[in-house]
Amino acid sequence: MPQQALKQAMALNSKIPEGPLKDKWESHKFNIKLVNPNNKRKHTILVVGTGLAGASAAASLAELGYNVQTFCIQDSPRRAHSIAAQGGINASKNYPNDGDSIYKLFYDTIKGGDYRSREANVYRLAQVSGNIIDQCVAQGVPFAREYGGALSNRSFGGAQLSRTFYARGQTGQQLLLGAYSSLMKNTQAGKIKNFTRREMLDVVMVDGKARGIICRNLVTGQIERYAGDAVLLCTGGYGRVYFLSTNAFNSNATAAWRAHKRGAYFANPCYVQIHPTCIPVSGQHQSKLTLMSESLRNDGRVWCPRKKEDTKKDPATIPEADRNYYLEEKYPSFGNLVPRDVASRNAKEVCDNGFGVGATGQAVYLDFKDAIKRDGLNVIKDKYGNLFDMYKQITGEDPYKTPMKMYPAIHYTMGGLWVDYNLMTTIPGLYALGEANFSDHGANRLGASALMQGLADGYFVAPYTVGDYIASEKFKKVTTEDKEFVDAEKEVKAKTAKFLEIGAKGKKTVLEFYKELGQITWNKVGMSRTEAGLKEALEKIPKLKEEFYSNLKLVGSGEELNKALELAGRVSDFFELAELMARDALHRTESCGGHFREESQTPEGEAKRDDKNFSYVAAWEYKGEGQPQALHKEDLKFENVKLAERSYK
Amino acid sequence: MNFTLVVWRQDSKEKEGKFVTYNTTDVSADMSFLEMLDYVNEGLTKKNERPIEYDSDCREGICGTCSCMINGQAHGPLRGVTTCQLHMRSFKDGDTIVIEPWRAKALPVIRDLIVDRSAFDRIQQAGGYVSVKTGPQPDGNSILIGKEAADKAMDAAQCIGCAACVAACPNASASLFTAAKVTQFVYLPQGKPEAKTRVMNMVEQHDKEGFGNCTNIGECHAACPKDISIQHIAVMKAEYIKASACDDT
Amino acid sequence: MSATSPNANSTKNYNRFNRIISSSVFQKVTMALTGLLLIGFVIMHLSGNITLYFPDGTPFNKYAEFLASFGGLFYAAEIGLLVLFLVHIVTAIQITRLNKAARPIGYKAYQTKGGPSRANLSSRFMIVSGVLLLGFLVLHIWQFRFGPGVADGYLVEMDGKQIRDLHRLVVETFQNPVFVVIYVFAMIMLAFHLRHGFWSAFQSLGARSPNLHNILQKLAILLAVAISLGFMGIPIWIYFR
Ligand SMILES: Cc1cc2nc3c(=O)[nH]c(=O)nc-3n(C[C@H](O)[C@H](O)[C@H](O)COP(=O)(O)OP(=O)(O)OC[C@H]3O[C@@H](n4cnc5c(N)ncnc54)[C@H](O)[C@@H]3O)c2cc1C
Ligand code: HEM
Ligand code: HEM
Ligand code: SF4
Ligand code: F3S
Ligand code: FES
């Protein structure tokens, strides 16, 4: 099956262009093969996912003249999970004149990623970041403005510079609507066809190349085949492997995972990001967690009581002296603005030590009392009104009067399908863009960089590199009647049939399995990891998976809208992914970025990297049902930055 | 908490639907409305009954997927929130809750509480964009836009496309949605060159889809989770009148 | 328009015209313009009819005669008015039918969310108040405009001319309590119709400042009450005096 792909991918060639860092992208673009404009319309590109990465790629490829088909789970491309991003998008425009530059953004991203990302990719990201803003402005994205009419910036998520562009608390929404509007424009022009309420369930390989996909029509249950010359997976992250996360309910790993099973390597699965400011869990019923924008840390002060007996008290009664502003104390120069992983781990630490507040003891305070005193209620209301209302809506508490309660939650996954400089996976013709790939954030992502990466990939990178592939390959004509398509469809159908067969007899619902899996991943492969814990996870996950395949309860058939059935497919993939995550985390005995191994920390409890042994990308190759994946290493070379211990003191 | 749910059940677009009553017990006040439905569905699944199908994704009020008419109010009793942001503490123990899908000819029911909102995509297709090419563009700050205009555009741009406005409108009109899309570009210089064709095409598509005509009832504004005002509808009309009055397209 | 081919200019204009007049916005503009003109008529009608508060019939008859003295012009105005009504009514029925069709299956439960909503009896039931007004108008015009005239003995001498004694007709009519009740009821419908209609017309025409919005809302109530009371007083006054 994936034999051919394997041979080609063996070397794990990242295809980074020669030359000095700052010229790589330009010279690469110069060397790229071009497709004759008249030939472009003879090529069909399948874009799976319509988030920032997918919508921008689809629109750009259509503008160039290709035929594009998009696929998404939601009822409209506009609803992809990117819509939920609140805070903002980075770009090295240096409008506030605080000394920003492409190099600075590059450097911060590499450092933020704890030196586990590829220099060339990150530099390119920083290079095109400014173009993204220009593009979005031209589309009519209503970014926040100064009174004089210029674009407004703020500092965000651990950056000491103001380089974040934003649109109220709804930046992701506005950027996605911008990309979606381009998508709609090209749809109107007949260059794009959108297939909504479709879930991709397999990649179809012909002669070792990705030439199509198999989808389930989520309304009718029909299994459908689509053929094309290249497939772009822009299917987002796998944060829902933890069940509770800030990701949308339908976010999943299925597309990426099924591609992995066809031969695409999965890189750094253990790198996940925990967001420090989320609304704490309120009970068993909880189906997702809500993020409160990181911007809150610009004015809010994080603290917990110094005395354990104070943790259940009304915070207003705790005197100043008994409050532990632990971030400000520990990290005087960054204070409340330390990067996400640092802020998160510290919250976990104080809670684990018994200083957590709230009903579950799994929360710390984020207090605006001083900010309100300093700036006045109106200023704070202006800045955070929406967020405060949202908080009140969910918790029933008023943050103007009492501090918010916060706890970290899974938010983003840095790991993903391995891609080369061209964003192609180890399967020829199969690309991964946006959160679905592993490429730019190393072991930890800086705030406001995911939106930037998704749009960079979609607007400015893939349109060129996909063209290069189309121009260099010879494409044999395929139709959806070909054997490869028929076979792939059969496999998908068999899988569904199996679920339904078990489902008719089983006792436990998908949601129950899903929540149980989430418990394991969160507790053992979550914010901090130990060898023992990971080994425990590696025992528990397969057991639960086994139970899943014998005791799953499902109602209804495959030939109809059946959300539980959809979920069953996704959860089945999460089991396998969770296992790989645990194995990846276990093998990486160092701590870096979002991956914290308790065995590897400095005396002060900070993450301790092991550059000598782990300065590589771990890319895992699927070896077949029940077989452990094989590890391939892509060594990371740092020629332009000096590896340093990440310090935010 | 205990509730009596009266829920619309319909197998598919073609089939007829009916109301079914469910009694549910031990609901937590901290559950969101959708989590309550999840909870009911767990029970139904175990009894081998088909779960109540409803739409949701982000579950934090931004994607616009969730869509329930709750006791005759789009997204339930609270203003400024979506169904997924509604919590059971907003109800009284023992309440009877009637749960229906959005109802409009242009939003046909697909199953139970799920409707087909593709009409919104087509309205957007008709002109809800600025015709720029993707690729390098002039510097972002080469277009200056006053804060006031930017804020106004943003007010309109907040629309999450949930269609609560249609559901709540006694005329099943999508005027508020269409207006929000049109006016975002009215306030921005980027929208000016295509202003006339945009408003005419989008209104035409709105009508073609079979939405009703706006008789200025304003219920849409009350139901809109993003508090989008019917002032935007007035702006859209003014734009339309302007566009039809002078034909320089 | 961008969608049409650039060659046939006349088709283009024809299409454009067709598109505009069949659009929902145009329908509402039609409603608003006819509605506002009708309000204009009603106000004029009331100012003339104020003379009915005089116990003496002369001022009213004089006023009626003054109008009639315009001859052809007066008929033209009447036809204009008729057209206004017809356009208003036909468009109203079109819109209402379309809106009914836009929601083939109604809700089991439906209630307003309040707040900025303008949903009330007046706005929700414009067609009802409108149709009742239409009923009233048919009766009203049949009674007065086409009611007994000079030939039937309703005549009075004024400035040496024999003219129709419309005043007597009105006074006689309002001796009948049934008509008084009908008229009072119709005027309540008129108030309901104008309470939403007046403000709504401006919204339909694209008036958009928030201040104006509030002023128009208040003005609508004032106008509705004033006009309705002004008319309503006449039958009541005549009946009880
Ligand atoms: C609450 C929240 C706030 C955030 N805030 C910020 C922020 O302020 N700044 C920032 O930079 N980043 C932020 N992020 C991260 C950022 O939003 C995401 O990383 C980014 O939007 C991912 O975009 P994407 O295009 O890769 O994928 P997504 O937007 O996740 O899109 C995935 C698409 O793939 C489709 N899809 C998935 N699986 C399948 C399948 N099997 N078949 C068919 N279609 C499929 C989906 O339907 C969807 O269209 C935030 C994330 C969250 C959760
Ligand atoms: C004295 C006579 C009348 C006056 C002054 C009047 C005035 C108005 C006005 C100002 C409007 C608001 C238009 C808008 O919202 O744009 C309106 C709407 C309406 N009128 Fe009348 N009207 C009169 C008679 C009638 C009659 C006889 C009918 C009945 C069939 C009728 C039916 C309606 C309806 C249904 C509407 C709402 C339509 C809409 O808003 O789109 N009206 N009227
Ligand atoms: C109590 C109140 C009213 C009285 C006493 C009254 C009286 C009259 C009279 C006497 C006439 C005949 C005029 C003529 O033939 O030249 C008339 C005509 C008419 N009235 Fe009224 N009217 C009243 C209210 C209304 C209202 C509320 C309306 C509108 C909604 C209305 C609409 C008309 C119309 C359309 C005509 C015909 C006009 C013409 O053809 O010249 N009237 N009215
Ligand atoms: S205008 Fe408001 S109610 Fe209508 S679709 Fe947009 S957000 Fe939803
Ligand atoms: S409720 Fe309906 S009638 Fe108009 S103002 Fe809103 S669309
Ligand atoms: S599920 Fe996204 S708005 Fe409710």
Side-chain angles (χ1 to χ4, degrees):
Chain A
M1 195 174 51
Q3 244 63 332
Q4 243 134 343
L6 267 180
K7 258 182 239 135
Q8 305 205 13
M10 264 334 194
L12 210 56
N13 180 356
S14 59
K15 307 219 173 106
I16 295 170
E18 294 300 316
L21 186 63
K22 63 181 193 355
D23 301 333
K24 282 185 199 291
W25 179 231
E26 278 311 312
S27 68
H28 188 59
K29 273 200 290 189
F30 180 78
N31 291 327
I32 264 171
K33 289 204 190 72
L34 297 176
V35 185
N36 176 336
N38 288 327
N39 282 339
K40 282 185 186 153
R41 78 179 99 88
K42 295 184 195 141
H43 293 281
T44 298
I45 318 276
L46 308 179
V47 179
V48 188
T50 56
L52 286 181
S56 57
S60 305
L61 288 163
E63 296 275 0
L64 290 175
Y66 298 101
N67 268 318
V68 177
Q69 299 182 348
T70 76
F71 303 84
C72 68
I73 292 177
Q74 293 80 0
D75 68 332
S76 161
R78 63 172 284 158
R79 298 193 211 285
H81 169 59
S82 296
I83 201 104
Q86 304 170 346
I89 175 167
N90 285 336
S92 60
K93 283 278 197 189
N94 194 26
Y95 286 153
N97 209 8
D98 49 8
D100 204 1
S101 64
I102 290 173
Y103 185 80
K104 187 89 180 80
L105 176 57
F106 156 74
Y107 178 81
D108 286 354
T109 307
I110 291 273
K111 177 185 168 198
D114 221 358
Y115 306 97
R116 290 293 173 267
S117 36
R118 239 186 236 152
E119 275 192 345
N121 283 54
V122 177
Y123 196 83
R124 175 177 65 189
L125 178 65
Q127 272 176 315
V128 301
S129 66
N131 295 348
I132 297 173
I133 302 302
D134 302 339
Q135 171 71 43
C136 295
V137 167
Q139 280 168 346
V141 171
F143 283 120
R145 300 265 170 176
E146 307 289 348
Y147 281 98
L151 290 157
S152 176
N153 288 114
R154 64 180 173 200
S155 86
F156 190 78
Q160 283 167 315
L161 298 172
S162 275
R163 63 158 75 101
T164 304
F165 295 77
Y166 61 101
R168 292 218 181 125
Q170 302 154 14
T171 317
Q173 182 199 28
Q174 292 312 315
L175 295 173
L176 182 56
L177 291 182
Y180 163 77
S181 71
S182 289
L183 190 73
M184 289 294 108
K185 172 186 151 217
N186 286 294
T187 307
Q188 185 75 347
K191 289 188 277 187
I192 299 183
K193 269 191 84 152
N194 301 300
F195 297 90
T196 61
R197 292 199 198 267
R198 298 294 198 294
E199 180 163 24
M200 178 196 125
L201 295 176
D202 212 344
V203 186
V204 182
M205 309 278 295
V206 179
D207 297 342
K209 292 182 199 148
R211 290 304 300 272
I213 59 171
I214 304 291
C215 287
R216 180 167 187 270
N217 180 323
L218 302 180
V219 177
T220 64
Q222 288 307 303
I223 304 297
E224 301 167 340
R225 316 168 198 162
Y226 298 90
D229 299 319
V231 179
L232 275 54
L233 297 187
C234 314
T235 48
Y238 51 87
R240 294 269 343 174
V241 69
Y242 292 88
F243 182 65
L244 283 183
S245 87
T246 62
N247 287 12
F249 198 78
N250 295 314
S251 294
N252 67 87
T254 290
W257 195 255
R258 307 259 166 121
H260 172 59
K261 287 181 148 183
R262 291 281 178 195
Y265 292 7
F266 209 102
N268 300 335
C270 79
Y271 290 165
V272 298
Q273 182 168 73
I274 317 257
H275 194 288
T277 51
C278 298
I279 299 178
V281 178
S282 71
Q284 254 301 305
H285 53 264
Q286 193 124 4
S287 60
K288 83 157 289 229
L289 295 172
T290 305
L291 170 117
M292 287 277 109
S293 166
E294 194 144 40
S295 59
L296 290 172
R297 286 199 280 146
N298 287 339
D299 287 295
R301 298 177 71 193
V302 179
W303 63 278
C304 67
R306 279 193 201 280
K307 298 191 201 138
K308 284 188 189 160
E309 61 270 25
D310 282 352
T311 53
K312 295 278 177 279
K313 275 194 199 153
D314 174 6
T317 63
I318 303 175
E320 204 58 27
D322 289 342
R323 301 177 173 199
N324 182 2
Y325 295 94
Y326 55 88
L327 289 178
E328 295 172 21
E329 269 172 33
K330 228 164 141 183
Y331 309 99
S333 63
F334 278 74
N336 293 302
L337 291 175
V338 291
R340 294 177 169 175
D341 54 331
V342 179
S344 297
R345 231 164 12 245
N346 276 281
K348 178 176 159 60
E349 191 185 312
V350 296
C351 291
D352 288 352
N353 291 339
F355 296 100
V357 298
T360 55
Q362 296 283 300
V364 296
Y365 290 124
L366 181 65
D367 202 336
F368 288 85
K369 194 182 69 191
D370 295 331
I372 292 174
K373 218 184 281 165
R374 183 186 67 224
D375 299 341
L377 189 68
N378 282 339
V379 173
I380 297 301
K381 210 173 228 165
D382 227 40
K383 275 191 185 160
Y384 307 114
N386 282 354
L387 295 167
F388 280 29
D389 292 348
M390 190 161 150
Y391 180 85
K392 188 170 172 198
Q393 176 53 40
I394 293 171
T395 62
E397 289 180 352
D398 182 359
Y400 291 106
K401 301 210 174 90
T402 184
M404 289 182 168
K405 292 193 198 74
M406 290 286 147
Y407 199 68
I410 292 291
H411 178 54
Y412 183 87
T413 54
M414 282 77 69
L417 292 176
W418 185 90
V419 289
D420 61 19
Y421 189 71
N422 295 320
L423 304 182
M424 200 193 305
T425 65
T426 47
I427 297 178
L430 182 74
Y431 290 76
L433 278 62
E435 194 173 339
N437 73 27
F438 88 108
S439 74
D440 297 356
H441 306 294
N444 176 47
R445 175 179 69 85
L446 290 182
S449 291
L451 301 182
M452 170 172 72
Q453 182 225 335
L455 290 180
D457 289 358
Y459 282 135
F460 296 107
V461 181
Y464 297 103
T465 59
V466 171
D468 188 32
Y469 172 75
I470 299 280
S472 343
E473 297 285 322
K474 277 226 163 341
F475 290 91
K476 142 180 156 186
K477 196 169 157 34
V478 299
T479 77
T480 52
E481 300 308 318
D482 293 350
K483 184 174 175 310
E484 289 87 348
F485 283 83
V486 177
D487 288 350
E489 182 187 296
K490 263 194 208 136
E491 279 180 50
V492 165
K493 280 190 168 156
K495 205 171 159 95
T496 314
K498 190 158 112 199
F499 287 138
L500 288 167
E501 193 193 311
I502 309 162
K505 288 180 277 187
K507 294 269 178 307
K508 235 159 109 176
T509 64
V510 193
L511 214 53
E512 285 171 314
F513 279 109
Y514 198 178
K515 286 183 178 175
E516 243 175 88
L517 173 66
Q519 287 288 330
I520 302 175
T521 43
W522 176 240
N523 290 327
K524 306 293 170 197
V525 202
M527 230 187 308
S528 84
R529 299 142 180 197
T530 62
E531 184 178 337
L534 291 166
K535 285 190 169 150
E536 199 185 320
L538 282 171
E539 268 171 39
K540 280 185 168 166
I541 297 165
K543 263 199 210 123
L544 189 62
K545 179 174 148 193
E546 216 181 283
E547 194 196 343
F548 178 83
Y549 280 104
S550 59
N551 195 25
L552 171 69
K553 170 84 206 152
L554 281 176
V555 182
S557 76
E559 278 84 51
E560 59 184 336
L561 191 153
N562 189 340
K563 295 222 174 198
L565 178 65
E566 292 167 27
L567 203 57
R570 292 173 203 154
V571 172
S572 76
D573 294 326
F574 281 141
F575 279 123
E576 297 176 19
L577 170 62
E579 229 179 301
L580 184 64
M581 285 170 70
R583 296 214 6 253
D584 187 41
L586 188 63
H587 110 281
R588 193 171 280 275
T589 53
E590 66 161 352
S591 294
C592 61
H595 169 63
F596 188 74
R597 282 290 297 267
E598 288 179 20
E599 298 90 340
S600 177
Q601 48 181 312
T602 64
E604 299 96 46
E606 301 298 330
K608 202 168 112 206
R609 282 198 329 262
D610 176 357
D611 290 331
K612 221 169 98 222
N613 294 308
F614 287 101
S615 188
Y616 63 77
V617 175
W620 299 89
E621 177 197 349
Y622 188 73
K623 285 292 196 189
E625 207 70 53
Q627 310 273 49
Q629 273 91 341
L631 173 64
H632 298 259
K633 297 178 184 177
E634 178 201 340
D635 284 322
L636 292 169
K637 290 186 218 58
F638 294 92
E639 289 159 352
N640 299 277
V641 293
K642 224 175 94 238
L643 268 65
E645 192 174 313
R646 217 169 47 127
S647 166
Y648 291 94
K649 290 269 170 189
Chain B
M1 297 174 103
N2 303 333
F3 298 102
T4 305
L5 307 180
V6 181
V7 186
W8 180 257
R9 304 300 307 266
Q10 178 175 345
D11 275 341
S12 66
K13 255 185 206 175
E14 297 74 28
K15 299 240 173 73
E16 283 195 9
K18 61 171 191 297
F19 284 98
V20 180
T21 304
Y22 302 95
N23 289 306
T24 172
T25 53
D26 295 327
V27 171
S28 144
D30 283 333
M31 281 183 186
S32 74
F33 192 81
L34 298 183
E35 284 161 1
M36 183 275 294
L37 285 180
D38 286 342
Y39 171 77
V40 172
N41 279 343
E42 291 286 280
L44 288 179
T45 308
K46 295 217 162 144
K47 282 195 290 184
N48 230 5
E49 285 177 43
R50 184 165 78 64
I52 302 164
E53 300 287 9
Y54 65 87
D55 248 343
S56 85
D57 200 21
C58 74
R59 299 203 172 195
E60 58 180 67
I62 192 72
C63 71
T65 308
C66 60
S67 44
C68 292
M69 201 71 178
I70 301 165
N71 282 337
Q73 292 173 314
H75 292 308
L78 301 181
R79 287 209 53 229
V81 298
T82 52
T83 302
C84 60
Q85 291 174 294
L86 182 66
H87 285 73
M88 295 317 287
R89 68 176 89 90
S90 299
F91 296 87
K92 283 202 301 292
D93 194 13
D95 274 358
T96 296
I97 308 176
V98 181
I99 311 172
E100 295 173 79
W102 293 164
R103 294 213 188 270
K105 189 174 87 187
L107 308 174
V109 173
I110 293 174
R111 179 168 254 200
D112 299 344
L113 305 173
I114 301 179
V115 298
D116 178 351
R117 272 177 296 215
S118 52
F120 273 23
D121 284 332
R122 290 187 294 273
I123 292 176
Q124 183 104 17
Q125 261 173 49
Y129 47 76
V130 176
S131 295
V132 288
K133 282 232 170 248
T134 52
Q137 294 292 335
D139 185 81
N141 264 345
S142 62
I143 312 173
L144 294 181
I145 302 168
K147 184 168 175 351
E148 203 185 327
D151 282 350
K152 276 187 176 163
M154 186 61 210
D155 285 343
Q158 291 197 76
C159 165
I160 58 175
C162 63
C165 45
V166 180
C169 173
N171 306 323
S173 170
S175 289
L176 192 62
F177 167 78
T178 312
K181 293 286 142 204
V182 168
T183 46
Q184 171 186 349
F185 295 115
V186 168
Y187 296 116
L188 296 174
Q190 296 95 311
K192 287 275 150 29
E194 295 164 287
K196 290 189 180 127
T197 49
R198 174 179 303 115
V199 66
M200 296 199 62
N201 292 344
M202 289 180 81
V203 166
E204 185 176 33
Q205 191 64 35
H206 168 278
D207 298 350
K208 248 194 222 156
E209 296 290 345
F211 291 107
N213 197 344
C214 171
T215 59
N216 304 326
I217 298 203
E219 189 60 32
C220 49
H221 179 186
C224 175
K226 297 296 150 189
D227 199 25
I228 293 173
S229 146
I230 58 170
Q231 292 273 320
H232 293 286
I233 299 182
V235 174
M236 172 175 79
K237 300 213 157 143
E239 284 292 306
Y240 192 96
I241 293 168
K242 252 196 302 190
S244 43
C246 44
D247 179 12
D248 55 14
T249 46
Chain C
M1 305 273 51
S2 61
T4 49
S5 58
N7 46 31
N9 225 321
S10 59
T11 350
K12 180 191 134 176
N13 284 335
Y14 177 73
N15 281 341
R16 185 184 146 80
F17 180 71
N18 248 351
R19 283 181 67 187
I20 293 171
I21 62 160
S22 58
S23 78
S24 55
V25 175
F26 185 81
Q27 275 185 323
K28 285 294 314 205
V29 168
T30 311
M31 282 309 286
L33 290 178
T34 53
L36 285 178
L37 289 170
L38 288 176
I39 291 177
F41 161 74
V42 171
I43 292 173
M44 276 176 24
H45 194 42
L46 177 61
S47 19
N49 287 359
I50 290 285
T51 52
L52 280 168
Y53 283 106
F54 296 116
D56 174 23
T58 318
F60 181 68
N61 281 338
K62 244 190 180 159
Y63 155 71
E65 181 55 25
F66 169 71
L67 287 183
S69 68
F70 282 96
L73 221 56
F74 179 64
Y75 289 116
E78 279 190 316
I79 290 170
L81 190 61
L82 181 70
V83 169
L84 271 189
F85 268 111
L86 284 180
V87 172
H88 187 79
I89 293 164
V90 167
T91 316
I93 291 171
Q94 261 180 359
I95 291 179
T96 308
R97 287 185 50 182
L98 198 129
N99 287 354
K100 282 270 161 318
R103 177 165 293 136
I105 304 176
Y107 291 107
K108 183 185 179 76
Y110 181 84
Q111 51 179 325
T112 167
K113 269 199 174 187
S117 176
R118 306 266 165 226
N120 50 34
L121 284 178
S122 160
S123 64
R124 295 276 321 270
F125 302 107
M126 284 299 272
I127 189 65
V128 176
S129 56
V131 166
L132 290 173
L133 273 177
L134 177 63
F136 158 79
L137 279 166
V138 172
L139 169 77
H140 180 61
I141 292 171
W142 170 75
Q143 247 179 347
F144 291 144
R145 176 68 179 78
F146 298 111
V150 182
D152 310 284
Y154 285 82
L155 77 162
V156 64
E157 256 212 29
M158 202 172 289
D159 304 336
K161 255 197 311 175
Q162 289 212 326
I163 58 163
R164 186 181 177 201
D165 190 354
L166 205 50
H167 182 258
R168 185 178 134 210
L169 180 62
V170 173
V171 172
E172 280 177 11
T173 306
F174 292 147
Q175 297 310 319
N176 184 346
V178 175
F179 286 127
V180 175
V181 170
I182 291 177
Y183 269 65
V184 167
F185 176 74
M187 292 313 110
I188 295 173
M189 288 306 106
L190 182 64
F192 270 95
H193 204 74
L194 295 187
R195 189 255 173 275
H196 180 67
F198 178 71
W199 166 80
S200 173
F202 286 92
Q203 168 84 2
S204 298
L205 292 172
R208 52 174 134 165
S209 110
N211 282 336
L212 189 65
H213 187 104
N214 293 335
I215 293 170
L216 288 174
Q217 281 286 337
K218 298 214 176 79
L219 208 62
I221 300 179
L222 199 77
L223 194 82
V225 173
I227 293 184
S228 148
L229 284 183
F231 275 124
M232 205 189 281
I234 296 171
I236 297 175
W237 164 251
I238 292 176
Y239 182 74
F240 285 106
R241 82 173 164 209

